[in-house]
Amino acid sequence: MIIPTVTFVISLFLFVGAFRNDRRALIPIQMCIVYALLTTGWYNIQYNPHLIIWLCNITAVIGLLLSFRFNQKLFEIFFYFAWTGDLLTLLIWPNPISPPLDTFPLSWAGFILKHTAPLALTILFIKQGKLLNKDAVWTALKVMLVYAGFIVIYNFVFDQNILDLRYPTLDIEHLFGDWPIYVCVNILLALLWYAIIHFITNRLKLVKVS
């Protein structure tokens, strides 16, 4: 229980620092993202190198880039990617792409931090006054559709199942039916989640008025 406890405490520390808009929180967030990418990348290379192009890795890299040089459009993509993929990954367990805690504890911790640190970074950006544009949801959605289209081709060429587009790996997906029904349900749920985020960000006034 030591690794899970330490990982939870570190994640909590990142969120508290972000909520308080503590300028010192940025460096620990950056360090956690780098640690996460290195440890999970090392695990992926041993287990299946194709896993490196999963969306959570791309989200973490975008967050790291933004932490050094801010870009509005990239921030909007990062925000939606983090509050969809990262949040849902943390809520759905067991996760088949997570390194096993028993045999790869450091990579497991990296997997968790790879999803918590970007979320904390979005909060820190918001606390610093960086808001979303009105069309942020459409920007993020278009990029997500392009990514999904690329993954369809990638899965076919390299015989992979990234985004579970070929067969289900989560227990909940089996409840949605066979392919392609469960894929359609996943897409509808993703669109609904994007709409919920759009609604919440507007209610919380995280979207620019003009």
Side-chain angles (χ1 to χ4, degrees):
M1 290 297 295
I2 295 178
I3 293 295
T5 301
V6 172
T7 305
F8 173 79
V9 170
I10 293 175
S11 297
L12 184 62
F13 171 78
L14 298 182
F15 281 116
V16 170
F19 270 112
R20 291 181 175 178
N21 194 17
D22 189 336
R23 67 180 64 182
R24 296 171 297 180
L26 181 59
I27 293 180
I29 290 175
Q30 291 173 326
M31 292 174 61
C32 285
I33 292 177
V34 171
Y35 170 83
L37 290 172
L38 290 176
T39 53
T40 59
W42 174 72
Y43 168 78
N44 289 339
I45 289 173
Q46 294 184 81
Y47 177 67
N48 182 1
H50 297 283
L51 295 178
I52 291 177
I53 67 169
W54 264 90
L55 190 61
C56 56
N57 289 315
I58 295 174
T59 302
V61 171
I62 292 175
L64 190 61
L65 293 175
L66 284 170
S67 70
F68 290 102
R69 185 180 181 85
F70 186 81
N71 177 276
Q72 182 63 34
K73 287 295 183 184
L74 204 57
F75 165 61
E76 292 165 0
I77 296 169
F78 171 66
F79 185 93
Y80 273 87
F81 280 12
W83 286 98
T84 50
D86 285 351
L87 180 61
L88 294 177
T89 297
L90 291 171
L91 294 176
I92 299 175
W93 285 91
N95 194 301
I97 64 171
S98 170
L101 176 59
D102 293 339
T103 52
F104 292 90
L106 297 181
S107 297
W108 182 91
F111 182 82
I112 300 299
L113 292 174
K114 187 167 61 178
H115 295 82
T116 57
L119 289 171
L121 184 58
T122 64
I123 296 171
L124 184 61
F125 281 143
I126 292 295
K127 287 293 185 177
Q128 292 175 346
K130 296 176 173 61
L131 303 179
L132 303 167
N133 284 321
K134 289 184 177 181
D135 62 346
V137 62
W138 299 112
T139 299
L141 185 57
K142 286 186 288 187
V143 174
M144 181 61 191
L145 291 175
V146 170
Y147 171 75
F150 166 76
I151 292 302
V152 169
I153 300 173
Y154 191 95
N155 283 343
F156 177 77
V157 173
F158 295 100
D159 191 27
Q160 296 298 306
N161 186 43
I162 298 170
L163 294 183
D164 287 6
L165 293 177
R166 295 180 60 195
Y167 53 85
T169 60
L170 301 176
D171 292 340
I172 191 173
E173 290 177 327
H174 291 282
L175 300 176
F176 300 155
D178 298 328
W179 187 95
I181 299 176
Y182 83 89
V183 175
C184 295
V185 174
N186 283 347
I187 293 173
L188 290 175
L189 290 176
L191 293 175
L192 176 61
W193 194 250
Y194 268 60
I196 292 173
I197 295 175
H198 178 67
F199 173 77
I200 293 176
T201 52
N202 275 277
R203 292 287 292 181
L204 295 178
K205 299 182 178 182
L206 304 182
V207 179
K208 296 178 181 179
V209 177
S210 58

